[in-house]
């Protein structure tokens, strides 16, 4: 049996049925990491010892006939901006190179409580602030499908690790597409839950009003399983919501007969790679064959998404990054003669170039008269964008869009043309601005590179997007399987 | 357009020191961004309320009950330098 080829669901079943031990599962995946990760660089930290201990505890529970959690024995990667107790959490930054948190994020507590096994911390753009995983202090992560290309970002370490079968599941975070764009680029499933469904306690903030923790798997069921474990109200996160809801897993099989599906006219008319558009349109037709009713709708503010998002995200980034001052924790410069010099040198030496540009931009917006006016304007346009979606969801269950307008680009290309890279999240950012749920699901390959379909749902209507994604996956039988490694 | 002087002033507010190259790259990028941002002028937002935060409606505050918090010694383990339970800095005169 090739253990690393199993789905997360299969791993759990086989561990519980004693076909394989949890320790065997962990060892097989650790071997896979040792074999591949020198080239891929998906992980910043590998927690071999802790993982083997956790596996022993699961095997012990099985031996004693104790009840097992929903993630029993499943190897999981965690994006390195999610706090893990006693395990270094770097955010891909020199600033936090040696930061060892004294507590677990709520999502980590929940994974551990369900017997999931964390194999390590995955690479990301510095503080999750870009779209290619090239801005990490710990080096570039490569796309397992084509190692000359980026895995997307910011959660590129997690998506590369899942795609390469180094882990079965992973956690990411999504501020403006950081779960969906890399899921699309790596040909796996990535879920961005509704803002408030999953606790953000212990997620190092990039932009608090947009950030969410999300999940990855090689198929819809697996990614849904992890979401089911981490969701739910947490009193430590004042923006988390108490939402009653039945199991998503039980709803997956309901199918999409009669589902009302919207296709935004303005999105499909945008300038994009014709191969991506072609593949997505083929997939849209499949939804009709499966019993869905597809109709064109209007989402008119698309040309203002990027400016609105940018104004909000860099403002929140600049506020959040103010906490890194070299005093309480994080990087401190060696030599300084005044307090100001301590701050300036620690921050100048500790932050990377891209995050510095966001801090400067955010400070301009919050600190200048002109910037402030546009900042206020952005939040009003955000209201209009949300209202566009509210209107569509009055009549429709889900919205279909390409996840990205382009295919994974070559490593180094984004430095030459940053705006093209920022544009790769254009279809993703409205879900963050309006707090909606969305999923990226593989819909096929063109010229050997994966294309993702984004399915957007109304707030807290995860069941709809998951059902639609599952129905598609059943039909395509892709299951996120790769033609790369 | 954003001038070099404005960028240097910004860097001071952010407690960052920029190289000439960084000033140039940021200036070019941000001038482009400001052009794009001006596109928002076309949107009529008269009478529209700003959406700062989602989920702000129907939220009640929890009871203020004392509970466990992080251990001081544990927390200070991440300080670059500490002494007597405080963060420690070199002697600086400001």
């Amino acid at each position: 049996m090739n253990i690393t080829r199993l789905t997360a669901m299969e791993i759990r079943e086989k561990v519980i049925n004693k076909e394989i031990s949890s320790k065997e599962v962990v060892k097989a995946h650790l071997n896979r990491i040792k074999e591949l990760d020198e080239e891929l660089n998906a992980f910043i930290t590998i927690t071999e010892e802790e993982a083997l201990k956790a596996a022993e505890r699961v095997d012990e529970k099985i031996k004693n006939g104790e009840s097992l959690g929903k993630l029993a024995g499943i190897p999981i990667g965690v994006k390195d901006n999610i706090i893990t107790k006693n395990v270094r959490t770097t955010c891909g930054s020199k600033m936090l190179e040696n930061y060892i948190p004294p507590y677990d994020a709520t999502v980590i507590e929940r994974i551990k409580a369900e017997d999931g096994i964390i194999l390590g911390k995955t690479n990301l753009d510095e503080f999750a602030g870009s779209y290619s995983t090239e801005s990490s202090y710990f080096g570039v992560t490569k796309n397992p499908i084509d190692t000359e290309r980026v895995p997307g970002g910011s959660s590129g370490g997690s998506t590369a690790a899942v795609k390469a079968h180094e882990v079965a599941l992973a956690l990411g975070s999504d501020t403006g597409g950081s779960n969906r764009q890399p899921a699309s680029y790596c040909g796996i499933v990535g879920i961005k839950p509704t803002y408030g469904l999953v606790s953000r306690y212990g997620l190092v903030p990039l932009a608090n009003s947009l950030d969410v923790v999300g999940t990855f798997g090689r198929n819809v069921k697996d990614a849904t399983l992890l979401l089911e474990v981490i969701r739910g109200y947490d009193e430590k996160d004042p923006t988390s919501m108490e939402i009653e809801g039945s199991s998503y897993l039980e709803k997956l099989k309901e199918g999409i007969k009669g589902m009302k599906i919207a296709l935004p006219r303005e999105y499909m008319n945008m300038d994009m790679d014709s191969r991506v558009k072609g593949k997505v349109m083929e997939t849209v037709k499949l939804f009709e064959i499966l019993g869905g009713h597809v109709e064109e709708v209007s989402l008119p503010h698309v040309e203002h998404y990027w400016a609105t998002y940018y104004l909000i995200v860099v403002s929140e980034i600049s506020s959040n990054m103010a906490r890194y001052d070299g005093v309480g924790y994080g990087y401190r410069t060696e030599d300084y003669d005044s307090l100001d010099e301590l701050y300036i040198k620690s921050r100048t030496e500790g932050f990377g170039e891209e995050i510095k540009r966001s801090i400067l931009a955010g400070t301009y917006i919050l600190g200048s008269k002109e910037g402030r006016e546009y900042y206020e304007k952005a939040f009003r346009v955000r209201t209009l964008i949300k209202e566009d979606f509210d209107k569509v969801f009055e009549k429709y269950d889900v919205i279909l869009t390409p996840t990205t307008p382009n295919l994974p680009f070559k490593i180094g290309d984004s430095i030459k043309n940053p705006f093209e890279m920022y544009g790769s999240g254009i279809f993703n950012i409205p879900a963050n601005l309006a707090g909606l749920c969305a999923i990226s699901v593989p819909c096929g390959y063109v010229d050997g590179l994966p294309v993702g379909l984004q399915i957007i749902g109304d707030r807290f209507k995860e069941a709809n997007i998951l059902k639609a994604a599952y129905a598609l996956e059943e039909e395509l039988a892709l299951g996120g399987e790769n033609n790369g490694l | 357009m954003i001038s070099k002087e404005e960028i240097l002033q910004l860097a001071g507010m952010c407690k960052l020191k920029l190289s000439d190259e960084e000033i140039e790259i940021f200036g070019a990028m941000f001038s482009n961004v400001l052009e794009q941002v001006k596109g928002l002028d076309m949107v009529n937002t008269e009478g529209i309320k700003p959406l700062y935060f989602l989920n702000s409606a129907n939220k009640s505050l929890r009871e203020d009950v004392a509970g466990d918090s992080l251990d001081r010694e544990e927390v200070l383990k991440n300080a670059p330098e500490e002494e007597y339970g405080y963060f420690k800095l070199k002697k600086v005169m400001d």
Side-chain angles (χ1 to χ4, degrees), chain A residues 48-93:
Chain A
E48 178 163 355
E49 209 177 305
E50 293 89 338
L52 286 167
K53 268 190 206 150
E56 274 167 25
R57 278 196 297 276
V58 170
D59 287 332
E60 194 70 23
K61 276 187 175 180
I62 293 169
K63 205 172 116 197
N64 298 337
E66 292 170 50
S67 70
L68 286 156
K70 288 178 191 159
L71 300 173
I74 300 173
I76 299 168
V78 175
K79 187 177 183 180
D80 209 19
N81 61 347
I82 298 171
I83 294 287
T84 42
K85 186 174 182 174
N86 299 333
V87 173
R88 179 170 82 132
T89 299
T90 69
C91 290
S93 179

Side-chain angles (χ1 to χ4, degrees), chain A residues 129-432:
Chain A
S130 195
Y131 282 113
S132 70
T133 316
E134 293 172 290
S135 66
S136 169
Y137 177 65
F138 299 90
V140 177
T141 296
K142 293 177 179 170
N143 190 323
I145 295 167
D146 177 347
T147 52
E148 285 184 7
R149 290 173 194 273
V150 301
S154 63
S155 311
S158 282
T159 57
V162 169
K163 184 60 178 178
H165 295 251
E166 294 180 330
V167 286
L169 298 173
L171 286 182
S173 67
D174 191 315
T175 304
S178 280
N179 257 35
R180 291 157 286 159
Q181 185 254 27
S184 174
Y185 280 10
C186 287
I188 63 166
V189 175
I191 304 173
K192 179 248 176 250
T194 305
Y195 187 82
L197 184 79
V198 177
S199 168
R200 291 185 296 116
Y201 181 73
L203 170 66
V204 179
L206 179 71
N208 311 49
S209 82
L210 305 163
D211 297 341
V212 294
V213 177
T215 67
F216 299 111
R218 288 187 295 273
N219 63 64
V220 174
K221 237 189 201 175
D222 284 359
T224 303
L225 172 70
L226 187 54
L227 178 64
E228 197 133 297
V229 167
I230 62 168
R231 72 170 169 164
Y233 174 71
D234 176 16
E235 70 164 22
K236 290 175 183 157
D237 173 5
T239 58
S240 85
M241 301 283 279
E242 282 179 77
I243 301 294
E244 298 282 316
S246 53
S247 161
Y248 299 140
L249 285 166
E250 282 167 22
K251 286 187 169 276
L252 287 185
K253 284 217 167 78
E254 284 179 4
I256 58 161
K257 263 213 169 68
M259 187 179 263
K260 294 194 187 85
I261 298 168
L263 189 66
R265 194 177 300 128
E266 292 86 352
Y267 288 28
M268 298 314 289
N269 289 339
M270 275 180 80
D271 187 25
M272 70 173 101
D273 189 315
S274 59
R275 295 168 296 176
V276 171
K277 187 174 173 177
K279 188 52 88 182
V280 167
M281 287 314 290
E282 271 175 50
T283 313
V284 170
K285 284 196 190 107
L286 250 178
F287 278 92
E288 284 187 321
I289 297 168
L290 292 168
H293 300 300
V294 184
E295 280 176 357
E296 277 198 3
V297 297
S298 176
L299 286 169
H301 289 96
V302 63
E303 63 186 299
H304 303 297
Y305 288 171
W306 193 81
T308 306
Y309 172 76
Y310 185 86
L311 287 162
I312 294 171
V313 84
V314 293
S315 300
E316 294 187 20
I317 290 173
S318 74
S319 303
N320 275 319
M321 295 302 138
R323 77 190 66 195
Y324 302 104
D325 58 5
V327 176
Y329 59 96
Y331 177 80
R332 179 188 291 178
T333 189
E334 301 257 319
D335 198 29
Y336 54 93
D337 290 322
S338 68
L339 203 51
D340 226 30
E341 206 182 0
L342 164 72
Y343 295 147
I344 292 170
K345 286 178 83 175
S346 297
R347 288 166 62 82
T348 301
E349 293 161 18
F351 286 132
E353 286 179 24
E354 179 128 13
I355 210 76
K356 280 180 193 164
R357 287 197 285 271
S358 295
I359 295 170
L360 289 166
T363 305
Y364 176 86
I365 289 155
L366 294 173
S368 71
K369 191 171 167 288
E370 187 195 25
R372 191 73 203 182
E373 275 166 21
Y374 279 109
Y375 177 78
E376 293 292 332
K377 181 99 183 175
F379 283 102
R380 291 175 208 278
V381 179
R382 185 182 189 179
T383 301
L384 293 173
I385 294 169
K386 184 172 180 293
E387 285 172 1
D388 289 347
F389 280 91
D390 288 346
K391 215 165 129 192
V392 170
F393 286 123
E394 277 172 20
K395 269 183 77 181
Y396 298 89
D397 301 307
V398 297
I399 299 170
L400 303 183
T401 83
T403 304
T404 68
N406 57 2
L407 293 164
F409 46 89
K410 290 225 164 124
I411 291 167
D413 276 3
S414 68
I415 294 151
K416 287 176 241 155
N417 193 349
F419 286 101
E420 201 168 305
M421 172 176 73
Y422 299 144
S424 69
I426 190 69
F427 298 135
N428 306 144
I429 53 185
N432 298 85

Side-chain angles (χ1 to χ4, degrees), chain A residues 348 353 356-357 360, chain B residues 1-12 16-32:
Chain A
T348 301
E353 286 179 24
K356 280 180 193 164
R357 287 197 285 271
L360 289 166
Chain B
M1 274 297 287
I2 182 162
S3 68
K4 187 176 172 179
E5 288 65 41
E6 279 180 290
I7 297 174
L8 286 172
Q9 198 193 349
L10 270 185
L16 289 172
K17 192 170 166 23
L18 303 179
S19 69
D20 285 345
E21 198 195 350
E22 283 173 313
I23 292 170
E24 205 177 303
I25 294 173
F26 177 75
M29 187 216 68
F30 198 61
S31 296
N32 188 331

